[in-house]
Amino acid sequence: MAAFAHASHDLVEWLDGSDVETARVGGKGASLNRLARAGFRIPPGFCLTTDAFTAQAAVVAMADRVRSDPSLLLDEATRTALVEGMLAGPLVPVVAESLTAPLDRLVGERFGASDGVGPPLLAVRSSGVTEDGAHASFAGLHDTELGLTAEEVVPAVLRCWASLWSDRAVAYRARRGLALDGGAMTVVVQALVPAQAAAVAFTRHPVTGRTDQVLITAVPGLGEAMVSGTVTPDTIVVDKAGGLIAEFTPGDFGAGPALDDGVLADLVGLCLAVERAFGAPVDIEAAHAADGWYLLQARPITTN
């Protein structure tokens, strides 16, 4: 297996709006950093870069062969060997060392836990280098894990890296004619927003194609159940001009609307501001806490 030498500063990028390369932090990391640079609120966090992935993959059996011949990923046994090899860990020393300081910093901020009760909770999210672009979103194909303590981050990172080679991710890339190996996988580690509600919004209606409406789905609390399809969210269509609700279909959680009028209006305004900043219709994920909305993701709307 190949040996790689990396400086620890190459392995982590803090997502604070400073200059970062998409090729190093992946689509999700780059999008979050772009939002921060434009002045939007995102949960504090950092990204383990492609260099960190490369350093870890160097000790995974079969990774070198797949790098040379990505078509091997069409073989189920090869995919299984790669996933199992990554999950086995442990982190190589240079990656483990690079993770310590930013993780301590993130936990020390105690975002959303100012009362000091319980450990700060974190989110660990995959960020593929071809993910969340204008032509392929990879939405839901790579792993995201929520509500983790600092001690649970390392195995979650390994699972996120391994999801690059999952059956569904490889099949998606094959179907769309993308590089089968996905290039590399980065991982975003952020503070978990103590969400009172979560929403997904499209500034171009994904069914009708109308650009004068915002389509929003929303649930109380964290959005994991909505994304996984285990709960039916409220569906709200809002006219951009005037902010009037054109359609409302209640969800199945039985506790009244997930978003009150003021919170909904704030979200619509936020969606339109992001659309202006990106210069194109966008797909947004957001969480509402006691102090307002936080953006968890924004990406150009794709056909898939």
Side-chain angles (χ1 to χ4, degrees), residues 1 53 56-69 82 86 165:
M1 282 173 265
F53 172 84
Q56 189 68 34
V59 301
V60 175
M62 292 291 297
D64 278 349
R65 289 184 59 193
V66 166
R67 189 180 300 112
S68 301
D69 183 6
L82 285 169
M86 181 64 78
W165 302 311

Side-chain angles (χ1 to χ4, degrees), residues 1 40 43 45 79 108 112 131 155 158 178 184 190 203 208 226 229 249-250 256 279:
M1 282 173 265
F40 296 107
R79 294 195 303 274
E131 188 174 337
L158 292 170
L178 303 171
Q190 290 179 290
T203 63
T208 67
M226 173 172 56
T249 304

Side-chain angles (χ1 to χ4, degrees), residues 4 31-32 68 71 76 86 97 101 110 148 153 181 201 219 222 248 251 270 274 290 299 303:
F4 295 88
S31 173
L32 286 163
S68 301
S71 68
E76 183 178 357
M86 181 64 78
E97 291 162 10
R110 295 199 65 83
L148 305 178
V153 166
D181 64 357
V219 294
L222 298 174
F248 177 80
L270 179 60
V274 175
R299 53 191 165 226
T303 56

